[in-house]
């Protein structure tokens, strides 16, 4: 089955392209390369043995999407294409609503027109804010979002839930990602943050590689075992495989309309200091870091109850955080960082 992968040149998208291919699906990428790079396709070619089919297009254009869906005989879609910088989303809300929700609406509408039913939507643990109970289940009431980015994920989920509830012929799953880390073990693809990374692991690997002078740990006075925040770090290939299992479930599901939401995490909370120590151990490099102020908007602790996805889709994480950090470090070293990592 041919699967449309919007944002397929991005971090999660590119790894999912590999997992789809390994599971016997034919991924077709649509990516406007606004926040990804063409060389990702070269990395994919090294892993797959061929360059995947791709369209350098923005998925906000209904005519473009209709044409691709028809020309490629698409049987399902995974929608990754979105802006994801939390801080920027607060400064440019319309840009985020237009891009993240506009593209989802275009995709759903063109899928309905073309009779394509299977859709996986990239959601995020950000929809939970700071959960009252941990590990957090999918049944937790969602608080008002703390960012425009987070709001686009909450509203995106609602768009799919309402479309399905109205009996439209769409079968959709929202996957709420916890914190993806690592890279494909070949180190041909990985995370390529633009400029200064927002996320912890690329900041750590760039610091260890000498691209950044030091890492600031954002606060050590939280109500957690060592005072630093707890997150659920999931290996990017595990996350990629969760998409494949979700897609298999939808394609095997005979109902014409379906919607559900699943956490995709390991179920383990890990502190920033614990992650740093594991990285130092894995890489053999001492990390230059200091304790700084809290980052506004950070939740103290967020980790998943991942039993629903295991019980219903049979997926669970099989790789460790240590493997994720080892793969992230291998990828960083493989980038010939001084030439290729923007400072
Ligand atoms: N952290 C640091 N120093 C850094 C970067 C991060 O100490 O330089 C800490 C953060 O305070 C947090 C942890 O590392 O405790 C993880 O931070 P990330 O930025 O990597 O990840 P977040 O959990 O903040 O972000 C995730 C997703 C976003 C999502 C966000 C909102 O990556 O897409 O949750 O909750 F929007």
């Amino acid at each position: 089955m041919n699967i449309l992968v919007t944002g397929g040149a991005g971090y999660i998208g590119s790894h999912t392209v590999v997992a789809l291919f390994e599971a016997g699906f034919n991924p077709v990428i649509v990516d406007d390369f606004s926040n990804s790079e063409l060389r990702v396709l070269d990395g994919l070619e090294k892993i797959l043995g061929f360059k995947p089919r791709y369209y350098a297009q923005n998925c906000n254009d209904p005519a473009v999407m209709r044409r691709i869906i028809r020309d490629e005989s698409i049987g399902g879609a995974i929608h990754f294409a979105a802006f994801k910088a939390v801080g920027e989303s607060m400064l440019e809300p319309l840009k985020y609503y237009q891009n993240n929700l506009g593209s989802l609406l275009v995709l759903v509408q063109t899928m309905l027109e073309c009779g394509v039913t299977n859709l996986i939507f990239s959601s995020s643990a950000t929809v939970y804010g700071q959960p009252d109970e941990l590990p957090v289940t999918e049944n937790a009431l969602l608080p008002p979002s703390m960012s425009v980015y987070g709001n686009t994920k909450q509203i995106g989920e609602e768009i799919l839930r309402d479309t399905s509830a109205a009996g439209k012929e769409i079968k959709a799953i929202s996957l709420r990602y916890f914190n993806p880390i690592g890279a494909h073990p070949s180190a041909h693809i990985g995370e390529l943050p633009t400029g200064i990374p927002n996320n912890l692991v690329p900041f750590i690997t760039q610091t260890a590689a000498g691209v950044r002078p030091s890492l600031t740990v954002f606060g050590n006075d939280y109500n957690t075992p060592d005072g630093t925040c707890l997150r659920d770090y999931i290996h990017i290939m595990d996350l990629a495989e969760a998409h494949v299992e979700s897609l298999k479930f939808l394609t095997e599901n005979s109902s014409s309309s379906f919607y559900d939401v699943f956490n995709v995490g390991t179920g383990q909370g890990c502190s920033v200091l614990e992650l740093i120590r594991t990285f130092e151990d894995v890489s053999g490099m001492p990390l230059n870091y200091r304790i700084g102020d809290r980052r506004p908007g950070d939740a103290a602790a967020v980790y998943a109850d991942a039993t629903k996805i295991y019980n219903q889709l049979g997926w669970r994480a099989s790789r460790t955080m240590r493997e994720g950090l080892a793969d992230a470090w291998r990828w960083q070293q493989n980038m010939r960082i001084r030439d290729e990592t923007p400072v």
Side-chain angles (χ1 to χ4, degrees), residues 107-137:
L107 180 62
V108 173
Q109 274 160 357
T110 49
M111 285 175 68
L112 288 171
E113 277 172 40
C114 300
V116 179
T117 51
N118 307 303
L119 173 62
I120 314 293
F121 174 63
S122 290
S123 189
S124 165
T126 193
V127 298
Y128 294 121
Q130 172 61 71
D132 291 334
E133 284 178 30
L134 289 167
V136 63
T137 73

Side-chain angles (χ1 to χ4, degrees), residues 279-286 329:
F279 176 80
E280 289 180 325
D281 196 36
V282 159
S283 65
M285 308 262 300
W329 181 229

Side-chain angles (χ1 to χ4, degrees), residues 166-184:
K168 304 293 177 194
E169 297 210 346
I170 192 124
K171 295 185 284 180
I173 285 179
S174 294
L175 295 180
R176 291 177 178 163
Y177 311 149
F178 285 70
N179 292 55
I181 61 165
H184 189 268

Side-chain angles (χ1 to χ4, degrees), residues 245-259:
E245 293 312 315
S246 303
L247 202 54
K248 282 189 193 160
F249 174 83
L250 289 182
T251 55
E252 287 158 13
N253 183 322
S254 57
S255 59
S256 62
S257 200
F258 176 87
Y259 178 70

